[in-house]
Amino acid sequence: QKEVEQNSGPLSVPEGAIASLNCTYSDRGSQSFFWYRQYSGKSPELIMFIYSNGDKEDGRFTAQLNKASQYVSLLIRDSQPSDSATYLCAVNSGNTPLVFGKGTRLSVIA
Amino acid sequence: SAVISQKPSRDICQRGTSLTIQCQVDSQVTMMFWYRQQPGQSLTLIATANQGSEATYESGFVIDKFPISRPNLTFSTLTVSNMSPEDSSIYLCSALRELNTEAFFGQGTRLTVV
């Protein structure tokens, strides 16, 4: 059974701080890793994807992958109230559907 | 990225009836999926919609309750049959353009069964 684990939160950070979201996965054969943001009542939207070990930066977002530890994280710098949402970690192992974690609810306090 | 049009966006249905949800992708995609999301919960995969053949259902979901069609590489439907209040949920279709790439989502269908 392929599993993706996330802390459900809520994670509360003050505006301007760094929010750190973490995710672990069980399948060592996983090849691609994704972070989605989901606002209440909306469908998930892709924020970042990462395929290789290390860091990948896109604006205020940095995804970090450590395949040896089966760990992927998302850092949000200069957090804004508009970043308040549920963040879903998803993992893909090739010709299979994405496996989603339960999501971490982030609250950025103004 | 792919654009997925899903409809209806919401519906209120009587128990015992059926509702068919449609998803149209703006370009050909390799795989299409159907998810259910209960309020405050994460996504639960219902099935993989296979083009030209029967869908592949996850544990706990059966074809008689959730018949799925995928007649071509851009279109799929999910029917929620013989509905009960427990079927009230958000239903999402999703697609992968290529293997190991990101999944895109339709806008979702908020279903309420009364």
Side-chain angles (χ1 to χ4, degrees), chain B residues 62-80:
Chain B
V62 295
I63 188 172
D64 290 346
K65 176 67 176 177
F66 297 101
I68 288 171
S69 77
R70 190 180 173 196
N72 55 51
L73 292 176
T74 64
F75 185 78
S76 180
T77 67
L78 167 74
T79 299
V80 186

Side-chain angles (χ1 to χ4, degrees), chain A residues 25-33 70 91-94:
Chain A
Y25 58 94
S26 63
D27 182 10
R28 283 196 172 276
S30 299
Q31 299 173 22
S32 47
F33 308 86
Q70 295 176 240
V91 174
N92 191 303
S93 301

Side-chain angles (χ1 to χ4, degrees), chain B residues 24 30-31 64 71 75 89 104:
Chain B
Q24 177 72 56
T30 302
M31 304 182 79
D64 290 346
F75 185 78
S89 187
F104 300 94

